[in-house]
Amino acid sequence: MFERYLAKWRVTPAEKPRGMNVTHVTVTKILDFYIARRIDRECIDVKRPRSARPYIEMFFKGTPLNRIRLQACAAYIDARRAGQVRPARGRRSTFIGSDGSIRRELLILRTAARYALKHESICGSDMPLIEAPPEPPSRTVYLTKAEYKLAHETAEGELKDFIALAYYTGARRRAIENLTAGQVDFDGGHIHLQPDNASAKQRRSKKRKPITPIVRPLLPVLTRLTAGRLPNDRLLPKKDYYSPFNRHLKRLGLSAKGFPHILRHTRATHLLQAGASIYDVAKLLGDTTATVERVYGHHSSESLGKKLDEFEEG
């Protein structure tokens, strides 16, 4: 009688996993499930998971998920480093993967498997054993004050406005490209980087869009760009500013620094070099203090030299 009473509380494993009616879950099926159910519905940054997928599928093809073990991961890492994994749709001149890219690809596969397990679409016996390369050191490239001045003064038209907006706000490229006149509050002296009509998906993003102050050098730029515009009108022409910025810095001999996100690095670095606190910089960027200290808290050799000279003279 007592055993019969306890029987209804016993948890028994399901005979078949729900969600995927297959005997062996392959890498392709697990990525299809993860991208359709998680990435496309809830994530803002869909480019990285989608760009990682062709390399994973090309190498593992129809391999069952539970057959991916440490040896298979090591083979994938070696093949990617040697440029031997070449997706059919790839347009790149080189397919050699950096450790950062390889790590991201393998972690996306592991995350996809964990997501499917969480939603009971696969069983525990289907889980892979994945080992990725260690996390590479943070990229600490930034423009010196002279380089930023050169890049800004030699730019023309909307590219010059983009550089000024991205630098003084410390915002990411997409936030500047989508900035509207209604997000600029002259009375309060702030720019609301998160628009009022942001979707729930955008508000759940880990890439926070804070309220940033309007500094004096930015005031004439914003006054000119907002003149005669409706609240929903963009301040800049609708286009991707990555390539124009990249070409501009190449012409200046700064091809290694030709990515717009460097303006965010540069703003944080210049503020820290000028004596701003990590807390204030973190508030401006919408990051944690730990992230600012780890990623942006680097100083130029000139600043370090001055401090050492002051130390020796004291």
Side-chain angles (χ1 to χ4, degrees):
M1 184 71 179
F2 183 69
E3 292 181 356
R4 184 181 301 176
Y5 174 78
L6 289 179
K8 65 179 181 179
W9 299 105
R10 291 175 182 170
V11 179
T12 57
E15 294 181 2
K16 293 183 179 180
R18 293 184 294 174
M20 295 185 190
N21 190 18
V22 292
T23 305
H24 296 291
V25 181
T26 62
V27 170
T28 300
K29 289 184 179 295
I30 207 70
L31 290 175
D32 286 341
F33 179 79
Y34 178 62
I35 290 176
R37 294 279 297 272
R38 174 77 172 93
I39 300 299
D40 290 343
R41 293 183 183 181
E42 302 177 12
C43 294
I44 299 295
D45 185 7
V46 301
K47 184 177 180 180
R48 288 187 175 183
R50 288 189 173 278
S51 62
R53 177 177 179 170
Y55 294 97
I56 299 172
E57 288 186 339
M58 184 66 186
F59 184 83
F60 293 109
K61 297 181 180 178
T63 304
L65 194 63
N66 57 6
R67 292 188 182 179
I68 298 179
R69 292 292 185 259
L70 300 183
Q71 187 175 0
C73 292
Y76 178 78
I77 293 171
D78 292 340
R80 284 288 282 119
R81 285 173 176 170
Q84 297 173 354
V85 184
R86 298 172 176 264
R89 298 181 182 179
R91 297 181 180 179
R92 300 177 60 181
S93 58
T94 177
F95 292 91
I96 298 176
S98 64
D99 279 6
S101 298
I102 299 169
R103 174 182 172 84
R104 181 168 60 248
E105 291 158 8
L106 288 174
L107 292 185
I108 286 173
L109 178 57
R110 186 173 70 183
T111 303
R114 289 179 175 177
Y115 181 83
L117 180 65
K118 178 182 177 181
H119 290 78
E120 301 182 11
S121 295
I122 61 174
C123 298
S125 59
D126 293 321
M127 287 295 291
L129 183 59
I130 293 176
E131 184 177 55
E135 185 175 2
S138 300
R139 181 168 56 177
T140 57
V141 181
Y142 66 97
L143 297 172
T144 64
K145 291 182 179 179
E147 289 172 342
Y148 169 75
K149 184 178 180 181
L150 177 65
H152 180 254
E153 291 182 350
T154 55
E156 297 179 354
E158 62 264 17
L159 179 59
K160 187 170 187 175
D161 294 333
F162 170 81
I163 292 174
L165 288 169
Y167 173 75
Y168 285 112
T169 62
R172 296 178 175 87
R173 173 172 60 93
R174 294 296 187 190
I176 299 301
E177 291 173 349
N178 297 324
L179 191 64
T180 63
Q183 293 174 245
V184 182
D185 180 10
F186 286 106
D187 294 333
H190 295 92
I191 301 174
H192 298 263
L193 294 176
Q194 183 74 276
D196 293 334
N197 59 351
S199 64
K201 180 179 177 180
Q202 291 174 324
R203 295 184 186 278
R204 286 195 301 267
S205 173
K206 294 181 180 179
K207 297 182 178 180
R208 295 167 53 197
K209 296 180 179 179
I211 299 175
T212 183
I214 299 176
V215 294
R216 281 194 298 270
L218 205 54
L219 186 58
V221 178
L222 291 172
T223 302
R224 173 171 50 83
L225 292 177
T226 56
R229 296 184 186 273
L230 297 175
N232 291 331
D233 291 343
R234 295 173 184 262
L235 297 186
L236 298 175
K238 185 179 180 180
K239 67 177 183 179
D240 190 329
Y241 285 85
Y242 187 99
S243 295
F245 183 82
N246 181 267
R247 290 193 298 267
H248 179 58
L249 262 67
K250 279 185 178 180
R251 287 193 293 267
L252 299 177
L254 301 171
S255 57
K257 301 181 179 182
F259 52 97
H261 197 76
I262 199 172
L263 296 170
R264 181 175 169 89
H265 286 263
T266 300
R267 181 60 169 165
T269 302
H270 289 177
L271 289 173
L272 290 170
Q273 289 175 351
S277 69
I278 289 179
Y279 173 80
D280 290 335
V281 175
K283 188 175 181 180
L284 173 70
L285 301 180
D287 282 333
T288 63
T289 54
T291 300
V292 170
E293 188 171 11
R294 176 176 58 86
V295 180
Y296 301 104
H298 44 275
H299 298 274
S300 67
S301 57
E302 293 84 2
S303 297
L304 179 60
K306 291 179 181 178
K307 291 182 179 179
L308 291 176
D309 289 339
E310 292 173 359
F311 175 79
E312 295 297 337
E313 292 173 359

